[in-house]
Amino acid sequence: MKKYFEIIRRKTWAAGRWAAEKALKKEPGVDGILVTVGLCIIALLLCAVMKERLITFINTLVQDMTLKAQQILSGVS
C-alpha cells in the first residue's frame, strides 16, 4: 500500500510540474508592446481632448494641497 501511495505522489508531482511548465512558458510576441503603445495613444488622446478639464483639475488639486499644508504647518485642524 505504501508503494502505491508513492507512485501516486510521483505521478501527481510530475503532472503538476508538466502543467506549471505549460502555464509559465513564454511565447515570443509583440502583445505587450502593442498594449503599451495602445494605452499611450489613448492617454495622449484623453490629454488632448480634455486639456482644459485637466488644467482645472490640477489647479484645484494644487490649491487644496497648499491649503491643507498651510493648515498643518500652522497647527489648525
Side-chain angles (χ1 to χ4, degrees):
M1 192 68 151
K2 188 175 183 181
K3 190 171 188 173
Y4 176 73
F5 284 123
E6 181 65 26
I7 292 170
I8 290 176
R9 187 184 66 78
R10 287 186 185 197
K11 285 188 178 188
T12 304
W13 181 83
R17 184 172 172 93
W18 177 83
E21 286 176 1
K22 295 295 180 185
L24 299 176
K25 182 178 178 187
K26 295 201 179 216
E27 297 283 337
V30 294
D31 293 342
I33 295 170
L34 291 176
V35 169
T36 304
V37 170
L39 289 174
C40 288
I41 291 171
I42 291 170
L44 286 172
L45 286 173
L46 283 174
C47 286
V49 170
M50 302 187 71
K51 180 180 170 186
E52 292 300 320
R53 297 199 108 185
L54 190 59
I55 291 171
T56 305
F57 172 72
I58 292 173
N59 285 337
T60 304
L61 188 66
V62 169
Q63 288 172 357
D64 289 346
M65 290 175 67
T66 302
L67 180 64
K68 186 65 174 178
Q70 288 172 348
Q71 289 175 351
I72 290 172
L73 292 174
S74 66
V76 177
S77 294

